[in-house]
Amino acid sequence: VSTAEILKRLIGFPTVSHESNLDLIGYAREMLEQAGAAVELVYDKPRSKANLYATVGPRDKPGVLLSGHTDVVPVEGQDWSVKPFEATEKDGKVYGRGAADMKGFVAAALRAAACASRRELATPLHIALSHDEEIGCVGVRSLIGVLADAPFRPAMCIVGEPTSLAVVTGHKGKANAKVECVGCEAHSAYAPKAVNAIHLATDLVSAIREIQARSAEAGPRDEAYEIPYTTLHVGIVRGGVALNIVPKSCLLDFEIRNLAGDGADLYLDRVREEAGKIVERARPIYPGADIRLEQVGGYPGLETDGRDAVVRLGHGLAGENPTRKVAYGTEAGLFSGELGIPTIVCGPGSMEQGHKPDEFVTLEQLDRCDAMLDRLLDRLEKGI
Ligand SMILES: [Zn+2]
């Protein structure tokens, strides 16, 4: 069975992050077990979702890991001309939610595992399929925990997010934070006697923009990125009840997207420090004034040395594509950072199609990915 046919089945499972992925995992598990793979599922607490980890070939050696996520982003509010959860093939493309991000690679990995069963692998092939990647690389963490305790963890990892099969060695990390600004209510005619929570929030927004400006001017740089420095961004502000009431509460959400070598914690500390100063200025008017900041998610950046064996392997498999760094985040930073597994990102299709209506991957990209994974199997037969 071809990668395109597997992909079409995968698109048919509507695995939007908040939904169960168990039907898709069941399909993958059956296919992998038929290929003689050892398959392990790691469920989430309500047992409505699972990660899958499979090994084809020897079980007492490190091997190479192909990693992908099974969840997709929602389609609500998007103008699709085809059914998002029913694959459509036309003009050399397969359309459907997840075609590019990233069921195309998952399909190719499953096909490779099926092919691997007909070969005599000296080095094992591992497949990792995760849930809840699209909501902040949340699901894969339980799998990382299992791998951390495994006697043989993979020696190298390829995360197949869409890069048009370029070898990607880096992406930024991310930290999300929620902030609650606390002031006190008053009639707006007496505003100077109260603490306006929206004003606390806007002062904090100014401080965040100031930190961002300093990062752009004088922070660490990596010119391999389109935006070569760590960025801060406020995405949501909510506050106020009526024009004639001084608001007592204002909420804001901001994020940090940091270069891998430029820790997000540093920036969170700076924001906290500025919040402290703003609160200090407000407390003489109202001692209960406060700015509460909580980190609510994030993932580490990826920074794989260009001379690492996994990069050479990637070039050997994918061809002499240029090495790149990408703006979006992936699970690669976790495999690399938490487990110390040298990791690259390399997969079929383009993120330009990701998260959009009429998402697609070309058959040409799927064919090239198949060829790349066939070369990987050749290498695994020889023991890399
Ligand atoms: Zn993705």
Side-chain angles (χ1 to χ4, degrees):
V1 57
S2 72
T3 292
E5 290 311 313
I6 300 170
L7 171 58
K8 288 175 189 171
R9 285 293 305 271
L10 297 181
I11 288 171
F13 298 107
T15 49
V16 179
S17 305
H18 60 84
E19 302 283 354
S20 169
N21 73 340
L22 293 182
D23 289 345
L24 185 155
I25 290 291
Y27 167 77
R29 175 190 203 160
E30 198 183 313
M31 199 165 162
L32 289 161
E33 282 180 343
Q34 272 172 17
V39 180
E40 187 182 344
L41 301 190
V42 183
Y43 288 91
D44 69 343
K45 276 223 179 75
R47 290 184 77 87
S48 64
K49 297 172 190 174
N51 296 310
L52 176 152
Y53 188 72
T55 300
V56 186
R59 302 198 182 154
D60 57 349
K61 285 181 186 153
V64 175
L65 171 61
L66 303 179
S67 160
H69 61 82
T70 60
D71 60 320
V72 294
V73 294
V75 296
E76 275 81 29
Q78 294 191 342
D79 190 13
W80 283 71
S81 71
V82 292
K83 290 192 175 129
F85 298 109
E86 202 181 299
T88 302
E89 187 183 327
K90 66 174 182 206
D91 306 329
K93 295 169 184 158
V94 177
Y95 290 85
R97 171 55 86 224
D101 183 13
M102 59 176 290
K103 290 178 170 176
F105 181 80
V106 171
L110 291 173
R111 190 206 68 110
C115 295
S117 68
R118 295 189 290 275
R119 300 208 191 193
E120 210 45 65
L121 298 190
T123 302
L125 176 72
H126 308 281
I127 310 278
L129 304 181
S130 67
H131 63 87
D132 285 333
E133 188 271 351
E134 294 289 5
I135 56 169
C137 300
V138 177
V140 75
R141 287 169 198 268
S142 61
L143 181 61
I144 298 249
V146 169
L147 280 178
D149 298 333
F152 296 95
R153 65 176 75 155
M156 295 185 229
C157 174
I158 300 173
V159 174
E161 294 277 359
T163 66
S164 304
L165 297 169
V167 174
V168 165
T169 57
H171 65 69
K172 288 183 180 175
K174 183 172 155 183
N176 305 344
K178 280 191 180 299
V179 178
E180 186 188 4
C181 299
V182 183
C184 64
E185 285 151 323
H187 190 297
S188 60
Y190 301 101
K193 293 182 141 186
V195 169
N196 183 324
I198 292 179
H199 293 181
L200 296 178
T202 50
D203 285 355
L204 190 68
V205 172
S206 297
I208 289 171
R209 295 191 63 193
E210 189 54 42
I211 294 167
Q212 149 82 81
R214 261 182 281 149
S215 160
E217 268 170 42
R221 294 181 83 80
D222 184 342
E223 302 296 339
Y225 288 102
E226 193 175 341
I227 310 289
Y229 48 83
T230 296
T231 59
L232 293 89
H233 152 89
V234 179
I236 298 176
V237 178
R238 278 193 220 97
V241 177
L243 182 57
N244 58 2
I245 302 174
V246 174
K248 75 164 181 182
S249 170
C250 185
L251 307 175
L252 68 91
D253 290 9
F254 74 95
E255 65 168 31
I256 298 160
R257 289 184 181 261
N258 61 295
L259 298 176
D262 191 23
D265 287 353
L266 227 100
Y267 289 85
L268 278 173
D269 286 348
R270 265 179 231 164
V271 175
R272 276 199 189 93
E273 208 175 291
E274 293 303 319
K277 290 183 202 164
I278 295 164
V279 167
E280 202 118 306
R281 289 200 296 270
R283 286 213 167 139
I285 302 169
Y286 171 57
D290 206 359
I291 296 179
R292 297 170 192 143
L293 190 160
E294 186 195 357
Q295 186 180 347
V296 289
Y299 49 77
L302 174 73
E303 185 70 64
T304 298
D305 193 312
R307 292 157 299 185
D308 197 283
V310 73
V311 179
R312 284 200 305 279
L313 175 72
H315 282 305
L317 301 179
E320 280 307 307
N321 285 329
T323 306
R324 285 205 281 125
K325 294 184 181 178
V326 290
Y328 56 83
T330 78
E331 295 170 342
L334 287 164
F335 284 112
S336 165
E338 306 271 309
L339 293 172
I341 301 173
T343 300
I344 54 169
V345 185
C346 181
S350 165
M351 204 51 113
E352 275 170 43
Q353 274 81 50
H355 300 200
K356 284 192 190 168
D358 290 353
E359 179 177 349
F360 68 84
V361 65
T362 64
L363 294 173
E364 183 261 353
Q365 280 283 303
L366 294 179
D367 286 346
R368 280 182 54 200
C369 187
D370 283 344
M372 164 178 137
L373 295 183
D374 285 344
R375 283 191 281 275
L376 173 62
L377 296 183
D378 294 342
R379 300 280 295 267
L380 295 174
E381 247 177 0
K382 288 183 204 131
I384 280 286

